[in-house]
Amino acid sequence: MAPAVAAAAKLTLSYPLYASDFDPQNSSFLLVAGGGGQGRTGVGNKITLINTSRKQTLSEVVDIDLSKDEDSVTSLAVASSTASSVTAFAGINSSEKDQAAGRNEHLRSFRLEYPPKRRPENDAEKAGVVEEYKGQTAPLGRASLFTPSTAKRKETYQRITRLSRPCKVNGGQLGAIATGLAPEGEIVLFDAKTNGPMGPWVEARLSMGNGKEAADVDIIGHDDAEDAPPGTFSVAYCTDYEVHAFRMTLKQRKAPEPQSVFEEPHPDTFASTKDRSKFRSLRFVAPNLLLLLQNRPNRSGSDLLLLELSPSYQGRIIGTKRLHNGINSATALSVTHLASSTPSQSIQHIIAVAGQDTSISILTLEHRYEPPFESPKFRLYTLLRAVHPLQITSLSFSTFSPPQTSQKDTPPQYIKLASTSVANTIVLHSLPLSPYPPPSQKSSNQRYVLTSPGRSDAAQMTFSIIVSALVIGLGAFLLQAFTEIRGGSPEYLGAKGWLSQRVHDYIAVPYILENGTSIAPNTLSSMSDRASSASSSLLDEITTTISSVSDHAFSTSTSVHEEITDKVADLRSTASSSTAAAKESLADTPENVKQAVSAALDAASSAAAELKEASEAYSVTASNTLTAASNSLTSAAASATQKASNQYAHIRDLLSRHHHHRRHATPSSPSASSNGRVSNNIPHMIIHRDDNDESKLQAGYHHVGREGAREAKRFEELSQWEREVWKGRLQEAGVWAVEEGEKVLKGVFFGGIAQAVGAAVG
């Protein structure tokens, strides 16, 4: 859920806006600037002072109408202010005629008068006196600081204007301007503590080389640094792929050679694209800590990088943050820090990034006040979508001054974020700040923050995993309880006993099968149990038959085996006696030998014939045994099937006769009743559960309503729940099908309703 952001105030001016800046001493006033350029569009070039003292409304205070013969304002920065006025520097190109003549006074300075403060009503000295606001504005000076362009077409303009904060020691202030569309990019550093910039106050010039220009420039003073003398400034700038930094002081007149502190690495050999990410903007968040805004190749997204600078000006990335996927490329960056009135070990910065989709991402960066900057934390505060109708051109934060009064006397604190667009619009968001630690902790080192410093990434991840596991476990528990109550799963939790009977009946509605049949909860389970019981009974019967046939086959094969064994023993005995007789006759005459051999051959032939007969007899016996076993199995299966089929045949017959009787019944028939009441003088068809086996059904004709008779209800009198229970039982027994419809069951009485329903729901 997005944090609360005060309602945005919006104002539309008469010209497109390209630059903005808050008065650092007075957040109630905002300067914006832009225009239509040199007199071709009819849209003027202006600088406008905006009153932002009210969070929900913006109002124009005074305008500076600039010449339509000159270019529009392309950059702007507030230099200084007093209680009555504000001084600003702006980048404005001279006319094309002057540029062709080699004169381009692109750096201008202006002063705008503030409206008088509203006097209290109880101020007797000023009672009745109305101070007139004249809205005076005055140009202070103009200068040409860039090296004159040698190109045939003069397109160079002042794309960047950046000023440092005044030094606490001597009040010195360093300014920087950078070219745009120049054949050879240039950065000029100048002393901004003057009423009008002139050539002698130029401090240094930096040449980018052919085809290179500075993407952004920033300056920070070393007021509290121990490793730098008072009046020292750090300057950093970035090109498309490199970041450079150096230190300098005023009156130095020459900047030292800038050092390359970081370069975007080239993609590796296997990368899908050989293009490198480009730097779009940079800002100092501390004298040795730089925030970089980088756009990925092919408009595939943007990143924030945190670059730490060593004393020798070697940089290393210590933190990164990928911006949301809607930003294909970022267009503007603004950063401010939340100062503290008491000493603190940490400091929080607020970061705003504008995307090409006219969204603004607001983040916070929490880090130690001094090195080492261990584990800096980026945190997304909120994402503002569709802030402007067209591209956002600038972002500006107001300066936060911590209150010096006690918490009880301090009003709610806000920091303001202004954004401008080429659609002539200004939008102001007020971001609420809160004290940290909270007042309840009564800490002496209290400061204001936009987001409370949270847990470490590891702790946050652990917490998220634990919460996710608890949510998943609770969801599984509730799902199991619900399915148990519905009767869709076995009982493990005993959830049915948690609810009253009324609530249970409301929740445990029948299930609807694919063919449209409604089955009551647990009916499927009970049907499955009964089917399993019937299958087990049939399996036991078939198993008994197979065992009997197997025993018979084993007995038969044993008998045949013994018979063949006896035959073989007899043959062995005969062969032995024939062999002995042959041996005894060897000494006799040849005739005797011939007769002995002939007798042995006859004995062998007789033995072979007898063995063949025994083998054929065994084969026939085995075949007959297997045939008998197969017939026994078939008979057992048919018997079991017939038994299962005929178990409820009489119920089907009774239902058929009952339906036939109802179709041909006349109003005078004994079973018909004019008032719909049941006659207890004639028997009625009743289907009820078997008294001895509750898993079976019985049917017959009985008297209904007589004393001692079975309690029963007609099918039409049953509740929808009871009907579904009985239809499930009849369908399971095979005596009724869904295709027959409920008309077959009309007029039939069903007994033991409570018991049937109780069994169905468990």
Side-chain angles (χ1 to χ4, degrees):
M1 185 176 181
V5 179
K10 185 175 181 180
L11 180 65
T12 302
L13 302 182
S14 60
Y15 59 95
L17 301 169
Y18 300 114
S20 64
D21 198 14
F22 272 100
D23 180 353
Q25 306 299 325
N26 190 345
S27 61
S28 295
F29 294 101
L30 171 73
L31 279 178
V32 296
Q38 184 171 344
R40 298 173 182 173
T41 62
V43 179
N45 304 314
K46 296 183 179 182
I47 298 176
T48 304
L49 181 64
I50 305 295
N51 185 351
T52 65
S53 58
R54 297 180 179 179
K55 292 191 293 292
Q56 297 183 348
T57 58
L58 300 176
S59 59
E60 298 180 56
V61 177
V62 65
D63 285 336
I64 299 179
D65 289 317
L66 304 173
S67 173
K68 292 185 178 180
D69 294 331
E70 295 184 327
D71 203 355
S72 62
V73 182
T74 55
S75 58
L76 179 72
V78 174
S80 61
S81 66
T82 64
S84 60
S85 65
V86 60
T87 301
F89 287 93
I92 305 172
N93 271 1
S94 298
S95 65
E96 293 180 358
K97 181 180 178 180
D98 290 344
Q99 292 185 59
R103 297 189 305 274
N104 182 15
E105 297 172 316
H106 52 83
L107 180 60
R108 317 287 177 93
S109 61
F110 301 89
R111 178 178 291 131
L112 295 87
E113 182 185 10
Y114 281 157
K117 292 184 178 181
R118 182 177 299 177
R119 296 291 180 179
E121 296 180 358
N122 58 359
D123 191 344
E125 182 181 352
K126 297 291 183 179
V129 177
V130 178
E131 296 187 30
E132 182 182 359
Y133 174 58
K134 298 180 180 179
Q136 293 182 350
T137 62
L140 299 180
R142 56 176 64 196
S144 177
L145 302 187
F146 291 142
T147 302
S149 174
T150 57
K152 293 182 179 180
R153 186 173 180 179
K154 312 299 182 182
E155 296 181 326
T156 302
Y157 70 99
Q158 185 178 315
R159 191 169 68 87
I160 299 170
T161 302
R162 195 81 65 220
L163 302 177
S164 71
R165 293 187 178 184
C167 288
K168 296 179 181 179
V169 178
N170 54 17
Q173 190 174 16
L174 183 66
I177 57 176
T179 59
L181 298 179
E184 184 175 338
E186 187 177 27
I187 297 175
V188 178
L189 302 170
F190 63 95
D191 185 356
K193 200 63 178 179
T194 58
N195 291 334
M198 302 297 291
W201 284 290
V202 172
E203 297 292 335
R205 296 178 184 273
L206 301 174
S207 178
M208 303 290 102
N210 291 331
K212 290 185 178 181
E213 284 190 322
D216 202 3
V217 182
D218 200 25
I219 309 170
I220 191 171
H222 289 257
D223 289 330
D224 302 323
E226 298 179 355
D227 59 343
T232 302
F233 298 90
S234 283
V235 181
Y237 67 90
C238 62
T239 59
D240 285 345
Y241 306 114
E242 290 184 277
V243 179
H244 299 264
F246 59 91
R247 288 182 181 180
M248 67 173 295
T249 59
L250 291 173
K251 311 305 180 183
Q252 187 173 330
R253 302 305 183 196
K254 183 179 181 181
E257 186 69 22
Q259 298 185 35
S260 177
V261 296
F262 184 77
E263 181 178 0
E264 177 65 18
H266 289 272
D268 57 38
T269 307
F270 303 100
S272 58
T273 177
K274 302 303 179 184
D275 296 331
R276 292 189 286 174
S277 299
K278 293 184 178 182
F279 295 112
R280 178 65 178 81
S281 297
L282 60 75
R283 292 290 187 276
F284 276 105
V285 295
N288 46 3
L289 201 59
L290 272 172
L291 181 69
L292 308 175
L293 176 61
Q294 188 180 59
N295 288 327
R296 295 188 177 191
N298 305 320
R299 299 173 63 86
S300 58
S302 302
D303 301 278
L304 289 172
L305 310 178
L306 197 60
L307 181 69
E308 183 181 14
L309 303 177
S310 66
S312 60
Y313 272 83
Q314 297 298 317
R316 68 183 184 97
I317 300 297
I318 61 173
T320 61
K321 177 66 176 180
R322 175 72 185 270
L323 298 178
H324 79 98
N325 295 332
I327 294 182
N328 295 331
S329 63
T331 60
L333 171 70
S334 184
V335 181
T336 188
H337 77 282
L338 298 176
S340 174
S341 58
T342 59
S344 176
Q345 293 184 349
S346 298
I347 187 171
Q348 188 171 104
H349 294 265
I350 306 178
I351 305 167
V353 181
Q356 95 297 335
D357 59 345
T358 70
S359 69
I360 299 178
S361 300
I362 302 177
L363 307 94
T364 59
L365 172 63
E366 185 85 13
H367 65 86
R368 288 175 52 88
Y369 193 82
E370 295 179 348
F373 303 106
E374 297 176 357
S375 303
K377 300 181 183 67
F378 286 101
R379 181 169 295 177
L380 178 65
Y381 173 72
T382 189
L383 175 63
L384 306 174
R385 299 182 182 274
V387 179
H388 292 269
L390 294 176
Q391 179 180 338
I392 297 174
T393 53
S394 72
L395 295 171
S396 298
F397 276 113
S398 63
T399 301
F400 175 70
S401 298
Q404 303 298 325
T405 58
S406 62
Q407 290 290 334
K408 295 181 179 179
D409 302 328
T410 302
Q413 299 296 302
Y414 294 87
I415 195 163
K416 300 173 183 178
L417 171 64
S419 57
T420 62
S421 167
V422 293
N424 308 355
T425 52
I426 309 169
V427 176
L428 182 74
H429 289 91
S430 298
L431 310 177
L433 304 179
S434 58
Y436 179 83
S440 59
Q441 298 185 14
K442 299 180 180 180
S443 174
S444 59
N445 297 328
Q446 198 170 64
R447 59 191 173 105
Y448 279 85
V449 296
L450 183 63
T451 59
S452 297
R455 311 176 184 88
S456 65
D457 293 341
Q460 184 65 33
M461 178 64 70
T462 303
F463 177 77
S464 301
I465 292 174
I466 293 174
V467 171
S468 300
L470 291 176
V471 170
I472 294 172
L474 179 61
F477 176 80
L478 294 177
L479 181 60
Q480 176 64 26
F482 181 73
T483 54
E484 286 188 18
I485 295 172
R486 289 288 304 271
S489 69
E491 288 193 54
Y492 297 105
L493 304 176
K496 290 182 180 179
W498 300 350
L499 306 175
S500 65
Q501 186 63 36
R502 182 178 180 181
V503 176
H504 177 271
D505 292 343
Y506 177 77
I507 296 178
V509 297
Y511 290 98
I512 305 299
L513 301 181
E514 293 181 358
N515 58 6
T517 306
S518 299
I519 299 297
N522 277 1
T523 299
L524 294 176
S525 178
S526 61
M527 291 169 60
S528 175
D529 293 341
R530 289 192 290 272
S532 176
S533 177
S535 299
S536 298
S537 178
L538 178 60
L539 181 61
D540 291 342
E541 186 174 348
I542 294 176
T543 303
T544 302
T545 304
I546 292 175
S547 178
S548 176
V549 172
S550 176
D551 292 342
H552 178 67
F554 178 75
S555 175
T556 304
S557 73
T558 302
S559 176
V560 173
H561 176 70
E562 292 176 352
E563 183 177 351
I564 293 176
T565 302
D566 293 339
K567 290 289 185 181
V568 171
D570 292 341
L571 290 175
R572 283 182 177 177
S573 176
T574 303
S576 298
S577 60
S578 299
T579 303
K583 288 182 178 180
E584 293 175 356
S585 59
L586 286 177
D588 295 340
T589 60
E591 186 64 29
N592 291 338
V593 173
K594 182 178 179 181
Q595 291 177 357
V597 171
S598 177
L601 290 175
D602 291 341
S605 176
S606 176
E610 290 181 3
L611 185 60
K612 181 179 180 181
E613 290 177 2
S615 176
E616 290 177 353
Y618 176 79
S619 176
V620 172
T621 302
S623 175
N624 292 338
T625 302
L626 292 176
T627 301
S630 175
N631 293 338
S632 298
L633 289 175
T634 303
S635 176
S639 174
T641 304
Q642 184 66 24
K643 181 178 180 180
S645 175
N646 293 336
Q647 184 177 3
Y648 298 113
H650 68 288
I651 300 180
R652 288 198 298 271
D653 294 339
L654 290 177
L655 274 176
S656 178
R657 286 158 52 189
H658 170 79
H659 180 56
H660 176 78
H661 177 70
R662 283 183 56 84
R663 290 179 57 188
H664 297 85
T666 62
S668 60
S669 300
S671 61
S673 176
S674 60
N675 57 9
R677 294 184 177 179
V678 179
S679 174
N680 57 8
N681 296 323
I682 60 175
H684 298 272
M685 181 179 176
I686 300 178
I687 300 177
H688 59 89
R689 302 174 68 182
D690 194 326
D691 296 334
N692 298 323
D693 188 354
E694 293 186 353
S695 64
K696 298 180 180 180
L697 299 179
Q698 286 188 349
Y701 280 86
H702 305 277
H703 290 278
V704 179
R706 288 186 177 180
E707 184 178 357
R710 184 183 297 274
E711 180 184 356
K713 289 183 181 179
R714 241 184 334 210
F715 183 78
E716 299 90 318
E717 299 172 349
L718 299 179
S719 66
Q720 182 64 29
W721 172 264
E722 294 169 337
R723 291 185 186 183
E724 298 300 333
V725 171
W726 276 109
K727 286 194 296 184
R729 287 185 168 276
L730 295 175
Q731 189 177 7
E732 177 191 356
V735 300
W736 175 81
V738 178
E739 294 78 9
E740 298 180 69
E742 294 184 357
K743 61 182 179 179
V744 178
L745 305 177
K746 288 185 177 180
V748 178
F749 285 79
F750 291 86
I753 301 300
Q755 293 85 347
V757 174
V761 299

